[in-house]
C-alpha cells in the first residue's frame, strides 16, 4: 500500500518554496534628513568661519604691512638724519682702506663702533632693523666702469647686538632697484624683510633699510590658529545646538511618519478593518509644512477607512447572499436527487426509453455536482465568518495513509509514494538508539474532516492536472514545533500567471479542462482557508522548465501542545 523509506529532499522542497527577498540594491542607504540638516549647518558654519577668517587675516596682514611700511619709512628717515649729522670717516672720504663685505656664510659680530653702518646706530632703531650702505654708486651712475667700492651692511638681532650680513645677502639686497618704495624680500637665514632702497642725495650712496616681518608673521599665525580653534568650537556648538533644534523641529514629522507606519502595518487586504490612527492636532499646529502633510494624511486615512468600510459591507452582503442562497439550494437539490433515485429504483422494472434513462442519470450527476458546490460555498462562508471548527486531536499519519490510498484507487495511472519521516529515527543517533527509538505521535489539534478535505484536494489537484505516469510523492516530516506535509509531483508545473492567483476563488488555469473534470475552482481556496483556520500555512512552488519541472505544495501545521493533548 505505501512505502516508509527515507529520502533526502532538496532545500527547495524542505523550505516549501519560501523565498527570502534580498532587500539590498547595491546602493548605500541614504542618510536621514536630521543628519543631512546637521551636516549642512556645520558645513555652513565652517564655510562662513573660513571666509571670515580669510578676510580678517588678509585685512590684518595688509594693516600690518602698512604699519611696517610706516615704521620702515621712519627708520629710513632716522638713518638718513644720522648719516647727515655724523662726521665723515677716513674711509668715507676715500683716504682709508675700503671695507670689504664678509665671506659668504659668515655673520660675525660687529666689533668696533665705527664698523656699524651709519644710521643703524641711530636712536630709535629697533631689533630686526637692517641697514646696507653701498658707496661708489655715484661713480657708476656717472658712467665709470669701476664696481661698488665699499659696502657696509649689518642688522640688529633679537638680543640687540649688531651683526653683519653675508656676501650673498648683500648681493640679494643690492640687486633691488632704488625705487624708494617698500618691497618684501627673502634674506637667506634672516627670513622675510620689508626693505626700502634709496639713494643718498648728497653722497649718491645706495642705502637699503629693512625691517623684519617675523613678528607680524607670528601674529598672523597666532590669529590663524585662534580662528581655527574658534571655528572648530563653533562647529561643535553648532552641531550640538543644530542637532537639538533639528530633533525638536522634526519630532512632529517623525510622529506623522509613525502614524503612517502603524497604518501600513495593519492587514488591510481582508476582514473588517477600521483605521483609527490619525495625526494629533498638536503636531498639525507645530508648523505650516507638517500641518499640510498631516492634514493630507488624515484626509487620506479617512478616505481609506470609508473605502474599507464600504468594501466590508459589500463582502458581508455577498457572503450573506452566498450563505443564504446555498442554504436555500440545499433543499431543492436534495429533492431532485431523491426523486431521481426514487424513479430509478421504482422504475427499474419499467421499460423506460433510453433517452429518459440518460436524462435521469444526467440530472442525478449534475445535482450531485451542484450539491458539492453548495457545500463548498457554505464552508467558505463559515470560514469567512470566523466560525470555530471542531477542535480535537488528529493523527496526520492515519489521514495521509487513507488519502494516498484513495488517490491510488482514483488514479491508477499515476505513481503514488508516501514517506512518513516522522516515524523514522533521526539520522544522527547511534544504531542502538535507533533500535529503541519510539516515534512521537504526529498529532495536531483541529477538525479531522477538514484536514482530510485539504489532503483530498491537494492529491486530486496533482492527479487531475498532471499526465499519466507522473510521480506524486507525499511526505510527512517534523520541524521545530510543527508538522510539515509536502505533496510533490514531477508534472509539467504551473504557469507563473496561474500560480499568482492559484489560491483565489474560482481560479481556473485551463477553462476547458476544468469544465471537463468538473472542477469548481474552489479547491485551493478552500484548502488555504482550512489551513489558515488551523493556524498553519500553505505554500506552493512550481517549475515549468524543459528539464527541471514539477510542483510542490507544502502544508505546515502546529504540533498539538501537551496541554491540548491532556484534554
Amino acid at each position: 500500500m505505501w512505502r516508509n523509506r527515507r529520502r533526502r529532499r532538496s532545500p527547495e522542497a524542505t523550505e516549501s518554496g519560501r523565498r527570502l527577498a534580498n532587500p539590498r540594491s547595491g546602493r548605500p542607504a541614504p542618510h536621514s534628513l536630521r543628519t543631512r540638516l546637521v551636516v549642512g549647518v556645520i558645513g555652513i558654519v565652517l564655510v562662513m568661519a573660513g571666509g571670515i577668517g580669510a578676510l580678517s587675516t588678509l585685512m590684518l596682514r595688509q594693516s600690518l604691512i602698512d604699519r611696517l611700511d610706516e615704521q620702515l619709512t621712519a627708520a629710513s628717515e632716522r638713518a638718513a638724519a644720522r648719516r647727515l649729522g655724523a662726521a665723515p670717516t677716513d674711509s668715507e672720504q676715500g683716504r682709508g682702506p675700503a671695507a670689504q663685505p664678509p665671506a659668504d656664510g659668515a655673520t660675525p659680530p660687529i666689533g668696533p663702533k665705527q664698523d656699524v653702518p651709519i644710521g643703524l646706530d641711530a636712536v630709535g632703531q629697533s631689533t630686526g632693523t637692517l641697514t646696507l650702505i653701498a658707496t661708489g654708486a655715484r661713480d657708476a651712475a656717472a658712467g665709470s666702469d669701476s664696481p661698488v667700492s665699499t659696502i657696509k651692511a649689518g642688522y640688529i638681532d633679537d638680543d640687540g647686538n649688531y651683526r653683519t650680513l653675508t656676501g650673498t645677502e648683500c648681493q640679494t639686497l643690492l640687486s633691488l632697484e632704488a625705487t624708494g618704495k617698500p618691497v618684501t624680500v627673502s634674506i637667506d637665514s634672516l627670513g622675510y624683510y620689508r626693505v626700502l632702497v634709496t639713494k643718498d642725495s648728497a653722497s649718491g650712496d645706495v642705502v637699503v633699510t629693512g625691517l623684519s616681518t617675523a613678528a607680524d608673521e607670528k601674529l598672523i599665525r597666532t590669529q590663524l590658529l585662534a580662528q581655527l580653534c574658534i571655528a572648530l568650537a563653533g562647529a561643535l556648538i553648532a552641531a550640538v545646538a543644530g542637532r537639538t533644534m533639528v530633533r525638536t523641529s522634526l519630532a512632529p514629522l517623525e510622529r506623522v511618519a509613525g502614524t503612517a507606519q502603524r497604518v501600513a502595518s495593519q492587514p488591510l487586504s481582508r476582514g473588517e478593518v477600521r483605521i483609527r490612527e490619525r495625526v494629533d492636532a498638536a503636531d498639525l499646529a507645530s508648523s505650516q509644512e507638517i500641518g499640510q502633510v498631516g492634514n493630507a494624511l488624515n484626509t487620506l486615512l479617512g478616505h481609506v477607512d470609508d473605502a474599507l468600510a464600504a468594501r466590508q459591507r459589500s463582502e458581508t452582503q455577498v457572503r450573506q447572499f452566498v450563505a443564504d442562497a446555498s442554504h436555500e439550494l440545499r433543499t431543492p437539490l436534495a429533492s431532485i436527487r431523491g426523486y431521481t433515485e426514487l424513479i430509478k429504483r421504482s422504475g427499474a422494472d419499467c421499460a423506460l426509453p433510453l433517452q429518459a434513462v440518460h436524462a435521469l442519470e444526467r440530472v442525478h450527476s449534475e445535482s450531485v455536482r451542484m450539491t458539492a458546490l453548495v457545500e463548498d460555498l457554505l464552508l467558505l462562508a463559515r470560514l469567512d465568518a470566523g466560525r470555530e471548527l471542531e477542535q480535537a486531536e488528529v493523527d496526520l499519519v492515519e489521514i495521509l495513509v487513507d488519502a494516498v490510498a484513495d488517490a491510488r484507487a482514483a488514479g491508477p495511472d499515476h505513481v503514488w509514494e508516501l514517506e512518513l519521516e516522522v516515524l523514522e529515527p533521526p539520522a544522527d543517533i547511534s544504531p542502538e538508539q535507533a533500535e529503541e527509538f519510539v516515534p512521537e505521535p504526529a498529532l495536531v489539534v483541529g477538525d479531522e474532516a477538514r484536514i482530510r478535505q485539504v489532503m483530498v484536494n491537494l492529491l486530486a489537484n496533482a492527479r487531475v492536472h498532471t499526465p499519466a505516469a507522473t510521480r506524486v510523492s507525499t511526505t510527512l516530516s517534523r520541524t521545530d514545533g510543527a508538522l510539515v506535509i509536502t505533496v510533490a509531483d514531477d508534472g509539467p508545473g504551473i504557469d507563473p500567471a496561474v500560480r499568482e492567483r492559484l489560491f483565489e476563488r474560482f481560479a481556473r488555469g485551463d477553462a476547458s479542462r476544468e469544465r471537463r473534470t468538473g472542477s469548481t475552482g474552489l479547491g485551493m481556496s478552500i484548502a488555504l482557508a482550512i489551513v489558515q483556520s488551523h493556524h498553519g500555512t500553505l505554500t506552493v512552488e512550481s517549475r515549468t522548465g524543459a528539464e527541471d519541472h514539477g510542483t510542490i505544495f507544502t502544508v505546515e501545521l502546529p504540533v498539538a501542545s501537551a496541554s491540548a493533548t491532556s484534554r
Side-chain angles (χ1 to χ4, degrees):
M1 289 292 292
W2 49 272
R3 290 179 291 173
N4 186 3
R5 61 184 180 84
R6 191 175 187 87
R7 184 179 68 176
R8 179 178 294 179
R9 293 179 291 143
S10 63
E12 292 82 1
T14 304
E15 292 297 329
S16 310
R18 298 175 185 173
R19 299 178 180 178
L20 298 177
N22 184 9
R24 300 178 59 185
S25 60
R27 296 180 178 179
H31 297 291
S32 65
L33 179 60
R34 178 188 303 172
T35 301
R36 285 184 286 177
L37 288 175
V38 173
V39 171
V41 170
I42 296 175
I44 293 174
V45 170
L46 291 177
V47 170
M48 292 183 63
I52 294 173
L55 181 60
S56 62
T57 302
L58 290 176
M59 294 176 63
L60 175 62
R61 183 175 180 275
Q62 187 62 43
S63 176
L64 292 176
I65 290 176
D66 293 340
R67 187 190 67 174
L68 191 61
D69 288 346
E70 293 176 358
Q71 294 174 353
L72 178 60
T73 302
S76 177
E77 292 175 352
R78 286 194 298 271
R82 173 70 180 86
R83 287 195 305 273
L84 294 176
T89 63
D90 293 339
S91 60
E92 290 172 337
Q93 296 176 353
R95 294 191 295 271
Q100 300 297 327
D104 290 343
T107 57
I110 299 176
K113 179 89 177 199
Q114 60 269 20
D115 291 335
V116 177
I118 299 175
L120 185 60
D121 57 348
V123 176
Q125 302 292 53
S126 60
T127 58
T129 304
L130 175 149
T131 300
L132 181 146
I133 302 175
T135 61
R138 177 173 51 186
D139 298 334
S144 175
D145 295 334
S146 62
V148 176
S149 59
T150 304
I151 297 177
K152 285 189 176 182
Y155 69 96
I156 305 175
D157 63 11
D158 294 338
D159 296 329
N161 298 321
Y162 295 103
R163 300 285 179 175
T164 60
L165 298 177
T166 64
T168 302
E169 294 169 345
C170 291
Q171 292 300 323
T172 300
L173 295 173
L174 289 173
S175 65
L176 302 174
E177 295 182 3
T179 60
K181 295 181 179 180
V183 294
T184 302
V185 64
S186 176
I187 303 175
D188 291 344
S189 61
L190 302 181
Y192 286 93
Y193 266 71
R194 192 74 173 170
V195 298
L196 181 64
V197 183
T198 60
K199 273 191 177 183
D200 191 297
S201 60
S203 63
D205 297 340
V206 174
V207 180
V208 179
T209 306
L211 290 177
S212 176
T213 62
D216 293 345
E217 292 174 355
K218 182 179 180 181
L219 179 60
I220 292 175
R221 288 194 298 268
T222 303
Q223 182 183 8
L224 287 176
L225 181 60
Q227 289 176 349
L228 178 60
C229 295
I230 293 174
L232 293 178
L236 180 61
I237 295 173
V240 175
R243 180 178 177 82
T244 304
M245 181 183 64
V246 170
R247 178 187 299 171
T248 303
S249 300
L250 294 183
L253 185 59
E254 292 179 352
R255 289 192 289 270
V256 172
T259 300
Q261 290 176 354
R262 289 191 296 273
V263 173
S265 64
Q266 296 183 16
L268 305 178
S269 60
R270 57 180 301 174
E272 185 175 358
V273 181
R274 295 303 305 270
I275 301 178
R276 307 293 186 184
E277 295 287 344
R278 293 295 187 274
V279 180
D280 293 337
D283 293 335
L284 296 178
S286 60
S287 67
Q288 181 179 0
E289 294 77 7
I290 296 177
Q292 292 175 350
V293 175
N295 286 324
L297 181 60
N298 285 344
T299 302
L300 176 62
L301 294 179
H303 292 334
V304 172
D305 189 39
D306 294 340
L308 291 174
R311 185 208 65 183
Q312 180 63 25
R313 289 193 298 270
S314 177
E315 290 182 356
T316 302
Q317 293 174 355
V318 170
R319 293 194 190 101
Q320 188 62 40
F321 170 77
V322 171
D324 294 343
S326 300
H327 278 291
E328 295 298 328
L329 288 174
R330 294 178 70 181
T331 301
L333 286 174
S335 300
I336 293 173
R337 290 180 58 186
Y339 279 116
T340 54
E341 292 175 358
L342 178 62
I343 293 175
K344 289 177 64 178
R345 289 197 302 270
S346 61
D349 298 333
C350 303
L352 295 176
L354 293 179
Q355 292 181 348
V357 174
H358 177 71
L360 285 175
E361 291 177 351
R362 292 300 301 157
V363 170
H364 184 268
S365 63
E366 291 300 317
S367 64
V368 171
R369 192 171 78 87
M370 289 186 64
T371 301
L373 174 60
V374 168
E375 294 296 334
D376 289 343
L377 292 175
L378 283 174
L379 175 60
L380 285 175
R382 286 195 295 269
L383 294 175
D384 289 340
R387 297 182 183 178
E388 291 290 336
L389 298 177
E390 182 181 349
Q391 299 294 316
E393 291 183 9
V394 179
D395 188 355
L396 293 185
V397 173
E398 179 182 353
I399 291 178
L400 292 183
V401 170
D402 295 342
V404 173
D406 295 341
R408 181 180 290 110
D413 52 351
H414 285 60
V415 180
W416 302 92
E417 296 180 353
L418 177 59
E419 300 178 17
L420 299 175
E421 296 183 1
V422 294
L423 302 181
E424 298 179 0
D428 55 351
I429 64 175
S430 63
E432 293 78 8
Q433 293 174 331
E435 292 180 357
E436 299 177 357
F437 173 74
V438 178
E440 296 182 8
L443 300 178
V444 297
V445 176
D447 192 325
E448 180 178 354
R450 299 310 174 195
I451 296 178
R452 285 182 181 273
Q453 185 175 0
V454 171
M455 296 310 306
V456 169
N457 287 351
L458 294 178
L459 294 175
N461 184 75
R463 171 176 55 83
V464 171
H465 300 306
T466 57
T470 298
R471 185 181 299 275
V472 182
S473 176
T474 305
T475 305
L476 176 60
S477 60
R478 188 188 301 272
T479 61
D480 294 337
L483 293 172
V484 180
I485 305 170
T486 59
V487 179
D489 65 70
D490 56 1
I494 304 173
D495 184 83
V498 177
R499 188 167 63 246
E500 293 179 356
R501 53 185 182 87
L502 182 64
F503 295 106
E504 296 179 1
R505 298 177 184 182
F506 303 103
R508 299 173 182 267
D510 186 341
S512 61
R513 181 183 64 182
E514 299 288 358
R515 285 193 294 267
R516 176 174 56 83
T517 57
S519 174
T520 62
L522 294 175
M524 291 297 100
S525 60
I526 291 177
L528 178 62
I530 293 175
V531 171
Q532 289 179 343
S533 66
H534 287 79
H535 309 289
T537 59
L538 172 59
T539 58
V540 60
E541 180 184 2
S542 185
R543 301 177 299 275
T544 57
E547 298 181 357
D548 186 16
H549 52 79
T551 303
I552 301 176
F553 285 92
T554 303
V555 178
E556 185 172 332
L557 296 173
V559 177
S561 61
S563 59
T565 304
S566 61
R567 287 180 299 185

